């Protein structure tokens, strides 16, 4: 499940990359000859998955953790610019009929499946416990802080959205935050960073979980357990488990259909 979630985040990155592709095609005529490739979400996802696989198989979690610091900085900046933005022209909160909008709500589980992945990154962090200096202190503190900060941010974003745009706009425009933020392009950039940070987290955690199953001899054959529990020479990186995790993720990126 962790390996498959890598594919989900890579596909989300592909969606965030499309506005950048459209900008290149519009601003620079040279790129118009390659529009079919630049707007191909599946191809973008495959290229990103190849990059992630090479990163994990050659550099390991250390480079991934270092990249996350820069990703978080961009995410923080994108949120600040979003919250500083003004309501969309013509929007009046007094005109919003909240009660009519919930007269035929979607089912609980439909909404749950949309919201649930937003919190899985918190659990993914637990899978890196073997890389922490003091897991017994860092895991509870990190988990509780991540949960608290996450809830505050999600609630604040929801309030900002309803104060800044109509319900019809929110339902029809996936990048509505770009129209609200003081600098629109920061939102696709932030979305791409959010997707990549989640993909990095999952692609680091999945192999460690798979390796742990091998170390605890969960699989039916000793050969498989031994092979999956091996580290990359001279490191604590789970080389074989990383290879299997990347192959699983790559398959679902190639499929390219989250609904399926």
């Amino acid at each position: 499940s962790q390996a498959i979630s890598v594919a989900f985040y890579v596909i989300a990155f592909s969606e965030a990359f499309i506005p950048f592709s459209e900008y290149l095609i519009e601003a620079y005529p040279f790129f118009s000859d390659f529009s079919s490739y630049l707007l191909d979400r599946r191809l973008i996802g495959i290229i990103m998955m190849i990059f992630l696989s090479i990163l994990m198989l050659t550099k390991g979690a250390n480079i991934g953790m270092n990249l996350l610091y820069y990703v978080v900085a961009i995410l923080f900046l994108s949120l600040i610019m979003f919250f500083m933005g003004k309501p969309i022209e013509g929007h009046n909160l007094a005109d919003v009929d909240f009660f009519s909008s919930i007269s035929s709500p979607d089912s609980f589980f439909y909404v749950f499946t949309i919201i649930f992945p937003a919190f899985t990154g918190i659990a993914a962090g637990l899978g890196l416990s073997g890389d922490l200096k003091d897991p017994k202190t860092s895991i509870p503190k990190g988990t509780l802080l991540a949960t608290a900060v996450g809830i505050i941010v999600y609630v604040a974003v929801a309030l900002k959205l309803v104060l800044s745009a109509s319900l019809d706009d929110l339902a029809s425009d996936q990048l509505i935050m770009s129209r609200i933020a003081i600098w629109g392009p920061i939102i696709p950039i932030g979305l791409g960073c959010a997707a990549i940070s989640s993909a990095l987290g999952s692609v680091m955690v999945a192999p460690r979980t798979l390796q742990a199953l091998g170390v605890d001899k969960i699989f039916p054959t000793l050969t498989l357990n031994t092979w999956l529990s091996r580290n990359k020479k001279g490191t604590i990186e789970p080389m074989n488990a990383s290879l299997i995790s990347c192959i699983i993720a790559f398959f679902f990126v190639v499929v390219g259909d989250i609904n399926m």
Side-chain angles (χ1 to χ4, degrees):
S1 66
Q2 291 167 347
I4 293 170
S5 72
V6 177
F8 281 20
Y9 296 127
V10 169
I11 292 170
F13 172 82
S14 302
E15 290 288 342
F17 194 84
I18 292 301
F20 178 70
S21 297
E22 292 173 343
Y23 168 76
L24 284 178
I25 294 169
E26 184 178 343
Y28 303 98
F30 168 78
F31 288 103
S32 60
D33 295 335
F34 305 96
S35 59
S36 59
Y37 301 107
L38 289 170
L39 297 175
D40 189 333
R41 291 169 173 80
R42 185 175 300 184
L43 180 61
I44 294 168
I46 290 172
I47 292 172
M48 179 50 62
M49 191 63 232
I50 291 173
F51 170 74
L52 282 176
S53 299
I54 293 172
L55 195 68
M56 284 301 104
L57 294 174
T58 59
K59 301 297 183 180
N62 286 337
I63 188 70
M65 293 302 296
N66 290 331
L67 283 174
L68 284 178
Y69 287 109
Y70 298 100
V71 168
V72 169
I74 295 172
L75 282 173
F76 182 75
L77 179 62
S78 64
L79 282 172
I80 293 297
M81 288 189 169
F82 168 65
F83 285 118
M84 290 175 65
K86 296 179 180 179
I88 292 174
E89 187 175 350
H91 174 64
N92 186 356
L93 186 62
D95 296 333
V96 179
D97 187 350
F98 292 100
F99 292 101
S100 66
S101 69
I102 60 172
S103 59
S104 56
D106 290 311
S107 70
F108 169 80
F109 285 104
Y110 180 80
V111 178
F112 179 78
T113 57
I114 295 172
I115 296 174
F116 178 76
F119 286 90
T120 56
I122 297 170
L126 304 179
L128 293 169
S129 59
D131 295 70
L132 300 173
K133 292 180 179 178
D134 187 8
K136 68 179 184 297
T137 300
S138 299
I139 287 178
K141 284 184 178 179
T143 304
L144 291 173
L145 275 172
T147 303
V149 172
I151 289 172
I152 292 169
V153 170
Y154 291 141
V155 171
V157 167
L159 289 173
K160 176 65 177 176
L161 285 171
V162 80
L163 290 171
S164 304
S166 68
L167 299 182
D168 288 337
D169 283 336
L170 294 177
S172 61
D173 188 350
Q174 290 192 78
L175 291 174
I176 189 70
M177 292 172 76
S178 294
R179 295 167 59 188
I180 299 170
I182 58 175
W183 186 56
I186 193 65
I187 298 302
I189 293 171
L191 178 61
C193 286
I196 285 302
S197 69
S198 298
L200 277 170
S202 295
V203 84
M204 288 188 289
V205 169
R208 282 158 173 73
T209 304
L210 190 57
Q211 183 189 43
L213 294 173
V215 170
D216 291 341
K217 297 179 174 56
I218 300 298
F219 296 102
T221 67
L222 178 62
T223 302
L224 186 59
N225 285 314
T226 303
W227 189 78
L228 286 172
S229 61
R230 285 178 185 162
N231 289 327
K232 187 177 180 180
K233 189 174 181 180
T235 70
I236 60 169
E237 292 296 327
M239 184 65 182
N240 295 338
S242 294
L243 180 63
I244 296 298
S245 298
C246 288
I247 290 172
I248 293 171
F250 200 93
F251 171 78
F252 284 94
V253 169
V254 171
V255 170
D257 185 357
I258 291 179
N259 292 332
M260 188 283 289

